[in-house]
Amino acid sequence: MTSERSTDSSLTRARRFTTRRARVGLRRARHSVIPALQMTVAGVGAYTVAEQVLGHEAPLFAAIAALIALGFSKEPRMRKVLEVSVGCTLGILIGDVLLQLLGSNLATAALVLFLSIMLARFLDPGPVLAMQMGLQALLVVLIPPPEVGLLGPFTRSVDAIVGGAVALLITLLTPKDPRREPIAELKSVVDSMTASLRDVAEAVRSSDSRQAWHSLIRCRGLQPQIDELRTAVNSAKELTSFSPAYRKHRHYVRHMAEVSDQVDLSVRSMRVVARRIISTVDNASLTDAGVENLSAVLDEFADASLLLSQAVSEPGSAYAQRMETAQEALAALAQRLHPKSLGIVTLEGETVVLLLRTLVVDLLQAAGSTHEDARDQLPEL
């Protein structure tokens, strides 16, 4: 009986694991449709241009360079494509030069492979590019160089240039709203901060420091999301700077970069607030009036953060109006942040209020206020 229960439990865990992996895989594949189409068009297009326009025979390296240059990456696309395109071209050129000077032998193959891998490591810290360029280096050595063509054995280097150029052109011209990714990443971060504010409000109201711990853990876990946000913003800034189709969005994206920086500071301030509230709750450092007022203020912080989340989700004409609404809510909140008006008389409680003053200034700046205007909203201590 025990053996049967153990077998059923193992089957259940295996089924859950398989279902979860399948769900994650399907979601990843769904999000990769557009990049996969880009890579397909780039590879086939580069091969066709090199073969039909330039007259190269079996221009395999044109397709390889285009595929490697595009790839799947969340790094800034323009810079990434340009760097990898140049790297692929240099790798093939180095291989062709060494083959001409040293001949096709094992020592040459080892030298070409080593130099290509080192070049890949110079361009990118990830392991994928090193593997791809290493395989490309082996192909350079193993596949006999073409004898026909204007450049003879160096025709493959031209093919690599064609592949990189096609990849760059597709990056510039592919229809993609550069605002979509930064908006999604920024909204995700702000929503998580809103949830953290709800947690600390409940922690104060119920005198349960575990809720504040949940808030602190959530805020600490936001750093990878903030890094993703910065990457998305940088990618959008590059695209709006170089692509004629998206230059109209460059001012909005630049503003999103400023908002992202302030949200980053807000999350850092929130971590400090959560840590201090843990200690305040554990030491019972608030009066009944202080508990009621501080928990209400924290709920208002969450409401204002939600308004900010709604504002950043509106890239159109409603954006400015929603940001102004968030500013007004935060300004009204800032004017309440004085320990005496909140009925807080202990040192630990006063410290929480002082930290909340820093947080509200960060949020006001994220909503578009200057530092001076945000600071002026605070009551004198």
Side-chain angles (χ1 to χ4, degrees):
M1 183 68 69
T2 302
S3 176
E4 289 179 1
R5 279 201 297 265
S6 176
T7 302
D8 290 342
S9 177
S10 298
L11 288 174
T12 301
R13 285 198 301 270
R15 186 162 54 250
R16 288 175 179 171
F17 174 78
T18 304
T19 302
R20 185 169 59 251
R21 288 299 298 269
R23 187 164 55 246
V24 171
L26 285 172
R27 184 167 61 247
R28 186 168 57 244
R30 187 171 62 251
H31 293 163
S32 300
V33 170
I34 298 300
L37 287 173
Q38 288 178 318
M39 293 171 68
T40 301
V41 172
V44 174
Y47 188 96
T48 303
V49 169
E51 183 183 50
Q52 301 297 325
V53 178
L54 301 181
H56 295 175
E57 183 179 349
L60 179 63
F61 287 92
I64 291 175
L67 290 174
I68 293 177
L70 280 178
F72 289 98
S73 173
K74 286 195 172 182
E75 296 180 20
R77 296 278 288 177
M78 293 296 301
R79 189 188 69 203
K80 178 76 172 177
V81 170
L82 192 59
E83 284 181 353
V84 176
S85 299
V86 172
C88 288
T89 302
L90 287 177
I92 293 173
L93 181 61
I94 290 170
D96 285 336
V97 170
L98 291 177
L99 282 176
Q100 292 302 305
L101 294 177
L102 304 178
S104 181
N105 52 60
L106 191 59
T108 304
L111 183 59
V112 170
L113 182 57
F114 175 77
L115 291 176
S116 296
I117 292 173
M118 293 303 295
L119 180 61
R121 295 301 294 168
F122 174 78
L123 292 173
D124 191 290
V128 176
L129 183 62
M131 181 185 69
Q132 290 172 328
M133 289 188 67
L135 291 172
Q136 179 182 258
L138 285 177
L139 291 175
V140 169
V141 176
L142 295 175
I143 298 177
E147 298 297 334
V148 297
L150 186 62
L151 297 177
F154 296 102
T155 299
R156 295 185 294 193
S157 301
V158 177
D159 290 340
I161 295 174
V162 170
V166 170
L168 195 62
L169 187 65
I170 287 176
T171 302
L172 283 170
L173 299 181
T174 300
K176 174 187 176 184
D177 190 342
R179 302 168 297 174
R180 181 173 57 83
E181 236 178 287
I183 287 173
E185 297 287 354
L186 183 56
K187 187 177 186 304
S188 175
V189 172
V190 177
D191 286 347
S192 294
M193 189 167 65
T194 302
S196 295
L197 286 162
R198 300 283 186 208
D199 281 341
V200 291
E202 183 59 30
V204 172
R205 187 179 297 109
S206 61
S207 298
D208 184 0
S209 62
R210 288 176 300 178
Q211 289 289 102
W213 273 110
H214 293 162
S215 171
L216 180 57
I217 291 168
R218 181 184 282 110
C219 286
R220 284 174 173 170
L222 281 177
Q223 195 55 51
Q225 283 182 258
I226 292 172
D227 294 340
E228 293 283 352
L229 169 60
R230 286 182 171 172
T231 298
V233 169
N234 288 337
S235 180
K237 285 170 69 176
E238 288 191 355
L239 193 56
T240 55
S241 296
F242 294 107
S243 177
Y246 304 120
R247 284 187 63 80
K248 62 183 178 182
H249 299 312
R250 65 187 185 280
H251 298 300
Y252 175 81
V253 170
R254 194 178 300 122
H255 187 254
M256 290 295 290
E258 296 169 0
V259 174
S260 301
D261 289 340
Q262 290 305 136
V263 167
D264 184 10
L265 292 176
S266 301
V267 171
R268 295 173 191 272
S269 297
M270 185 61 211
R271 291 174 193 156
V272 182
V273 169
R275 275 202 304 270
R276 180 49 55 191
I277 285 180
I278 291 169
S279 174
T280 302
V281 171
D282 283 340
N283 294 320
S285 300
L286 296 173
T287 63
D288 290 343
V291 167
E292 182 179 350
N293 292 330
L294 184 58
S295 60
V297 162
L298 288 166
D299 276 329
E300 290 177 35
F301 261 101
D303 294 338
S305 177
L306 182 61
L307 290 174
L308 184 62
S309 172
Q310 292 170 348
V312 299
S313 304
E314 288 281 354
S317 57
Y319 174 79
Q321 182 180 351
R322 286 186 178 273
M323 274 296 190
E324 187 176 345
T325 302
Q327 271 188 52
E328 291 172 356
L330 287 164
L333 179 57
Q335 292 163 15
R336 296 183 57 197
L337 294 179
H338 192 290
K340 288 184 178 178
S341 65
L342 295 176
I344 292 175
V345 294
T346 62
L347 180 60
E348 279 201 87
E350 289 176 350
T351 302
V352 171
V353 177
L354 293 176
L355 292 172
L356 288 174
R357 288 164 69 96
T358 300
L359 176 60
V360 80
V361 169
D362 291 335
L363 287 171
L364 274 167
Q365 288 184 256
S369 296
T370 65
H371 179 73
E372 290 74 18
D373 288 342
R375 191 178 56 196
D376 289 342
Q377 300 296 331
L378 296 167
E380 292 291 334
L381 292 174

